[in-house]
Amino acid sequence: MYHKEKSIQIKSSASALYNNLSVLRIAPRCLTYFTVVHANVVNMVSASWDSLNYSHRQLQSKEGSVATSSSLIMQAAWCVLPSRDLLVLTSQKGIQMYESDGSIMVYWHALDTPETPTAKAVFARGIAAVWEKYICVGVSSGSVLVFDVPSKGSNITLSEVLEEHKEAITDMASECSGSLECIADLVSADDSGLLCMWKSGEDFQLLNKIPGFDTSCSSVKLWKGTVIAGYGTGQIRLYEGVTGVLHAEVNAHARWIYSLDIAPFTGLLLSAAEDSWVRVWHLTLTPETNSVEIEHMYNECITDTQMCGAKFCDGDGYAFAVTGYDLSEIIRYTQA
Amino acid sequence: MSTRTLPLLFINLGGEMLYILDQRLRAQNIPADKAKKADWLEEDRRRVMNDIITTMFNKKFLEELFKPQELYSKKALRTVFDRLAHASIMRLNQASMDKLYDLMTMAFKYQVLLCPRPKDILLVSFNHMDAIRDFVKDTPSILSQVDETNKQLIEIYTALSGGEFQLIRQTLLIFFQDMHIRVSIFLKDKVQNSNGRFVLPTSGPVPYGTQTPGLIRMFSCVGEEVKRLQFQGGGNYNASLREGSFEMYGDRVIKLGTNMYSVSRPVETHMSGTSKNSSQHTKVNTTPNPLAKEELNLLARLMGGLEVQKPTNIDSGFRVNLFATDEEEEEALISRPDDLSYEVLNIQATKDKQTNAELAKIMGEFGEAGEATPSSSSKGDDLLAMMDGL
């Protein structure tokens, strides 16, 4: 179904972090941007579609008034909003937001870090752009920070703090089908496997809570109201977001799942785990019977590598890219 | 990231160090025809191990270690282990110390990577603790120190969730990032490739709590299973083994962290062509000032708890060589690539005057608690003479 393309070399290797790959497709300029986190640095590569031109940039974590810091970055992801795209970095010290090409930092939010380290680590993790002007970021305490983003400029403000989770946030996702009929806009996941469904607005509304089974949910996606969750046990589960009904359960991987992605136009699902496998699935939704089916499509084994990031490069799922721990390249596949 | 990583890092690395030293001390044994001296040597080997283990489990030292804190830099941790390795009459040259540290770190990196589930890192730690307990089983005072620490590990770590263990694991993996030193015993056993990367099998038992990949179940809105599909996963997995024990004593089930060395399997490392990756790694760990004041303070507090046995005569002391011959050891020191050097905190090496003074003060603070007993220094002399005579 897919064949391997030429890999993109990155300046330093990928760290073992959940969802450690973000992709931004810039159609008007025939470019795709990729980001991969290495400890306290974000490697950004811009690749031209003809594979002839690559340019690199590195962003560093920030701390207080110090521009560069050794504090570790947990995640980097692009947030696509109707008016603008922003690149968001979450670290042990706070949240940095940049213009989408990483050229200018437009906002910095410091986390409340204690004077002396506490038993429970402090960090921000989990990033989602929510219709139509919010960027939501998770925190190790379980809080979800909601930032209000104006259509331009740096007047970003913290609009709300959602306190529902008790364990560290692992990942968050917004409804990506583009359909305005969906009730839920955002799903947040944590280390206990708990999933919370939200409706965005001046005040975010909690729609539903789907309990975990004390298994961390490391990656989550929301598509046409269906929550797709990847767990530390290697399982993928599909839930109806607002009701919590379990549609499907897949014994997908032999190790901890690190990344999921969905291609919204076709319903293709990508999963990558510590077991070296990258798998492609297909979701079929039948609104009449309110059923969701999942079938397996494709496997790829990246020998001797624990995967940490996997993303489709386009909305159809025609191409995807993956990263692995200790690997200094972004491996790409396109449909045969 | 995780503020509870340091104790596990220290104990596991320490465990590996003891395995290696034990193997080397046995390997440098005297032949049977010098029977009388051999007995004496056996006692001395045990003494070296006891001295190191006593220092490793020093109460004050462990108190500092167990405080929630970020991981030390590689430099700082290497300094701690340098000190630990010299906590007895044993002496190691720079090249041997470098090699020892390479082996320790690659071994633990391997164990962390191959742990089926993040929580199994605790079982690996218990494997090391079980072995340490065995080393000192005949010395009740040290044994009780080790037992106390074991209890502390159980108390703090068994309550952590899988997600928190994964965070510990991710923190450790950042520490080990880009390290691809080839270890002869790993290459021979085919657990490491010639490019220095570890082999990750796609077969064998799945972790405890995981199902073998392959089954898809689909449900109706009322929770009835309506369809079942099997897919080809590609690997060759089978059901998980039973869960290992997290108690003081018990079958850990997992073999990672048990002693893989024996007298007949010498260990060598190759400084292979991984310079590019290594230099990237050192770049990451370098903050604007490598010997940041905070780190010096941390180190001072930690080292304050380490009582170092300083022999009255610097020349005495039982020298251990991690290489087959003295020539090899010297050659290894000369030919070690610059970017793989550990840059151990060395008073002469620091250029900054102020840092120099501070460091000298810290080094001076390492209590010369307890003078070496007269008998030990004479033993040291005898040993050295014996080594020369070989």
Side-chain angles (χ1 to χ4, degrees):
Chain A
M1 189 179 176
Y2 289 89
H3 66 259
K4 193 163 182 286
E5 292 280 1
K6 190 165 155 248
S7 294
I8 304 175
Q9 299 304 314
I10 42 178
K11 294 293 180 194
S12 47
S13 57
S15 290
L17 298 162
Y18 303 142
N19 308 299
N20 192 4
L21 175 66
S22 187
V23 178
L24 183 70
R25 197 175 134 95
I26 308 195
R29 290 166 59 200
C30 299
L31 284 179
T32 304
Y33 289 162
F34 299 84
T35 55
V36 181
V37 178
H38 172 99
N40 62 333
V41 165
V42 173
N43 288 302
M44 202 175 129
V45 189
S46 120
S48 60
W49 289 0
D50 57 14
S51 295
L52 292 177
N53 291 303
Y54 298 99
S55 75
H56 300 259
R57 187 196 284 272
Q58 287 189 311
L59 300 174
Q60 279 225 278
S61 64
K62 185 178 143 60
E63 182 173 340
S65 53
V66 179
T68 60
S69 157
S70 60
S71 82
L72 298 170
I73 298 175
M74 307 299 290
Q75 194 179 2
W78 272 287
C79 290
V80 175
L81 291 168
S83 52
R84 67 200 292 196
D85 301 335
L86 289 176
L87 175 61
V88 179
L89 269 58
T90 55
S91 73
Q92 294 178 283
K93 296 293 176 191
I95 299 153
Q96 293 154 251
M97 297 193 194
Y98 293 81
E99 293 295 358
S100 64
D101 62 357
S103 56
I104 311 164
M105 185 162 84
V106 295
Y107 183 68
W108 157 250
H109 174 92
L111 290 177
D112 287 325
T113 35
E115 280 277 321
T116 45
T118 48
K120 218 163 173 232
V122 175
F123 55 84
R125 181 176 59 187
I127 303 167
V130 184
W131 201 77
E132 67 191 344
K133 56 169 181 152
Y134 303 102
I135 288 180
C136 298
V137 177
V139 184
S140 48
S141 58
S143 306
V144 173
L145 308 177
V146 181
F147 295 94
D148 194 308
V149 181
S151 55
K152 53 177 184 264
S154 55
N155 190 22
I156 296 167
T157 53
L158 177 63
S159 135
E160 206 183 343
V161 179
L162 309 173
E163 310 269 22
E164 205 58 52
H165 292 271
K166 302 282 174 290
E167 303 296 324
I169 303 291
T170 45
D171 192 23
M172 299 208 293
S174 56
E175 174 58 63
C176 61
S177 64
S179 159
L180 295 171
E181 288 172 8
C182 296
I183 311 165
D185 295 311
L186 175 72
V187 58
S188 53
D190 73 21
D191 256 343
S192 71
L194 174 69
L195 301 164
C196 288
M197 309 299 305
W198 307 89
K199 172 143 198 65
S200 66
E202 286 295 314
D203 291 304
F204 271 53
Q205 206 191 326
L206 176 70
L207 298 173
N208 193 19
K209 282 169 86 156
I210 304 171
F213 298 90
D214 272 327
T215 305
S216 182
C217 170
S218 40
S219 195
V220 74
K221 284 275 163 298
L222 182 58
W223 181 64
K224 296 190 175 174
T226 303
V227 174
I228 307 130
Y231 296 86
T233 51
Q235 268 196 346
I236 295 174
R237 287 196 217 124
L238 275 58
Y239 287 100
E240 163 102 35
V242 287
T243 59
V245 164
L246 177 68
H247 285 304
E249 185 179 86
V250 184
N251 295 339
H253 287 276
R255 293 281 189 282
W256 207 282
I257 292 177
Y258 259 61
S259 195
L260 292 179
D261 196 25
I262 194 130
F265 305 151
T266 53
L268 284 175
L269 173 71
L270 186 64
S271 68
E274 282 176 0
D275 63 359
S276 306
W277 290 95
V278 179
R279 306 197 198 276
V280 181
W281 318 80
H282 183 237
L283 267 61
T284 323
L285 270 62
T286 316
E288 294 80 42
T289 51
N290 195 25
S291 69
V292 179
E293 295 216 336
I294 178 168
E295 63 175 313
H296 175 255
M297 305 293 289
Y298 179 75
N299 287 324
E300 189 67 53
C301 179
I302 319 292
T303 314
D304 299 333
T305 307
Q306 299 198 338
M307 313 313 301
C308 52
K311 283 276 185 318
F312 282 116
C313 299
D314 56 270
D316 291 300
Y318 178 74
F320 68 84
V322 295
T323 55
Y325 169 66
D326 254 355
L327 228 55
S328 300
E329 56 185 301
I330 300 169
I331 307 176
R332 291 189 295 176
Y333 293 85
T334 47
Q335 281 188 19
Chain B
M1 296 196 335
S2 175
T3 52
R4 291 198 257 233
T5 317
L6 190 58
L8 293 182
L9 181 60
F10 179 76
I11 285 167
N12 286 291
L13 285 180
E16 286 301 313
M17 182 176 86
L18 290 167
Y19 289 159
I20 297 163
L21 289 177
D22 183 61
Q23 188 265 326
R24 290 313 292 168
L25 288 169
R26 284 176 198 274
Q28 289 182 207
N29 223 340
I30 311 298
D33 59 352
K34 300 191 183 178
K36 199 164 147 210
K37 301 248 174 167
D39 289 341
W40 178 80
L41 202 64
E42 155 81 19
E43 177 199 300
D44 223 71
R45 176 179 57 77
R46 208 173 296 137
R47 189 171 156 210
V48 166
M49 296 294 283
N50 281 355
D51 282 350
I52 295 177
I53 294 171
T54 305
T55 311
M56 212 174 128
F57 289 89
N58 171 280
K59 201 175 157 86
K60 210 169 143 218
F61 175 70
L62 286 178
E63 235 169 66
E64 272 300 320
L65 200 76
F66 272 89
K67 284 188 186 154
Q69 60 195 305
E70 294 292 325
L71 267 194
Y72 289 1
S73 68
K74 291 175 103 75
K75 224 186 275 185
L77 198 69
R78 167 61 199 267
T79 306
V80 172
F81 277 102
D82 253 26
R83 271 293 157 180
L84 193 60
H86 290 97
S88 69
I89 56 170
M90 182 189 71
R91 285 293 165 268
L92 288 169
N93 285 340
Q94 170 83 340
S96 278
M97 189 64 219
D98 285 346
K99 179 171 167 181
L100 174 63
Y101 198 71
D102 287 344
L103 292 172
M104 284 157 57
T105 43
M106 287 309 285
F108 190 42
K109 180 176 183 175
Y110 171 70
Q111 289 152 17
V112 171
L113 262 177
L114 263 86
C115 259
R117 330 164 274 182
K119 193 169 182 184
D120 294 339
I121 289 177
L122 192 52
L123 290 173
V124 171
S125 312
F126 287 149
N127 272 333
H128 282 117
M129 290 296 285
D130 291 343
I132 293 171
R133 207 190 278 122
D134 193 61
F135 282 134
V136 295
K137 64 178 184 282
D138 297 326
T139 322
S141 58
I142 312 172
L143 184 59
S144 67
Q145 274 177 265
V146 178
D147 281 345
E148 266 310 302
T149 311
N150 211 343
K151 283 197 196 104
Q152 218 180 342
L153 280 177
I154 293 172
E155 212 179 279
I156 296 174
Y157 291 95
T158 47
L160 295 187
S161 68
E164 284 177 285
F165 267 109
Q166 183 62 280
L167 191 69
I168 288 173
R169 185 173 175 276
Q170 291 174 343
T171 310
L172 287 168
L173 288 177
I174 289 181
F175 184 83
F176 292 127
Q177 193 130 8
D178 302 320
M179 290 186 68
H180 301 296
I181 298 165
R182 287 153 28 185
V183 176
S184 186
I185 200 174
F186 288 140
L187 293 169
K188 281 200 191 93
D189 287 348
K190 303 235 185 304
V191 298
Q192 190 179 29
N193 296 317
S194 54
N195 62 5
R197 288 165 189 275
F198 290 116
V199 173
L200 303 181
T202 53
S203 58
V206 289
Y208 186 77
T210 293
Q211 305 293 316
T212 51
L215 183 63
I216 303 174
R217 300 168 73 199
M218 285 171 277
F219 305 91
S220 70
C221 324
V222 295
E224 281 174 359
E225 189 185 302
V226 292
K227 201 169 179 185
R228 216 170 236 245
L229 290 175
Q230 280 286 138
F231 71 91
Q232 288 306 312
N236 186 14
Y237 301 104
N238 37 36
S240 72
L241 303 172
R242 69 193 182 287
E243 193 176 26
S245 163
F246 290 94
E247 313 272 317
M248 276 291 275
Y249 308 96
D251 181 5
R252 311 299 178 190
V253 180
I254 300 216
K255 296 286 166 258
L256 296 166
T258 53
N259 197 345
M260 61 180 157
Y261 304 104
S262 67
V263 181
S264 57
R265 304 186 83 191
V267 277
E268 302 131 43
T269 53
H270 302 270
M271 303 294 116
S272 65
T274 56
S275 348
K276 178 161 168 275
N277 287 333
S278 301
S279 61
Q280 283 165 358
H281 178 67
T282 49
K283 209 193 283 182
V284 168
N285 270 330
T286 303
T287 49
N289 176 11
L291 287 174
K293 189 164 178 150
E294 200 182 298
E295 198 164 69
L296 277 175
N297 288 339
L298 274 171
L299 204 54
R301 281 210 309 276
L302 196 65
M303 302 297 248
L306 280 181
E307 290 180 8
V308 178
Q309 301 262 357
K310 217 174 174 188
T312 48
N313 179 2
I314 284 291
D315 288 332
S316 75
F318 177 5
R319 193 171 75 80
V320 172
N321 187 350
L322 258 78
F323 296 84
T325 62
D326 287 352
E327 290 72 36
E328 251 190 66
E329 189 185 44
E330 213 177 285
E331 176 58 40
L333 181 66
I334 298 164
S335 64
R336 189 179 180 91
D338 280 333
D339 50 13
L340 284 174
S341 82
Y342 284 105
E343 295 174 7
V344 178
L345 292 176
N346 186 328
I347 293 176
Q348 285 78 34
T350 51
K351 295 181 192 124
D352 183 58
K353 225 179 179 183
Q354 203 218 343
T355 323
N356 206 341
E358 275 188 42
L359 199 49
K361 180 167 172 280
I362 293 168
M363 293 303 209
E365 270 173 13
F366 293 146
E368 297 182 19
E371 287 139 315
T373 58
S375 55
S376 74
S377 46
S378 66
K379 273 186 181 173
D381 285 340
D382 280 355
L383 265 171
L384 216 54
M386 212 187 307
M387 302 288 282
D388 289 346
L390 281 174

